[in-house]
Amino acid sequence: MIPQLVTKGAGTRGYLGVHLQKQTPELAKALKVQDRKGALVSNVMAGSPAETAGMQRRDVIVAFNNQQ
């Protein structure tokens, strides 16, 4: 974001439209989620890019931009 501030005077952030929660072993077990690593999607905002892409509550994000 620093290069954007320098060149444009403002920065832009991406917007996915989800609330995330840390995935704990206890939470994964309670929700019967197989992958115990990652971020749990606790809410998907209506009309957001995440909703358009088909993301749902209880999805687990295990990688982003090819990185765990």
Side-chain angles (χ1 to χ4, degrees), residues 1-12:
M1 184 173 314
I2 299 292
Q4 286 181 349
L5 289 171
V6 171
T7 60
K8 299 179 182 177
T12 10

Side-chain angles (χ1 to χ4, degrees), residues 23-50:
Q23 177 80 317
T24 64
E26 297 81 17
L27 188 57
K29 184 177 179 181
L31 296 174
K32 298 179 182 170
V33 175
Q34 291 191 3
D35 196 333
R36 295 178 183 228
K37 294 180 181 177
L40 177 69
V41 176
S42 60
N43 189 33
V44 178
M45 295 175 208
S48 68

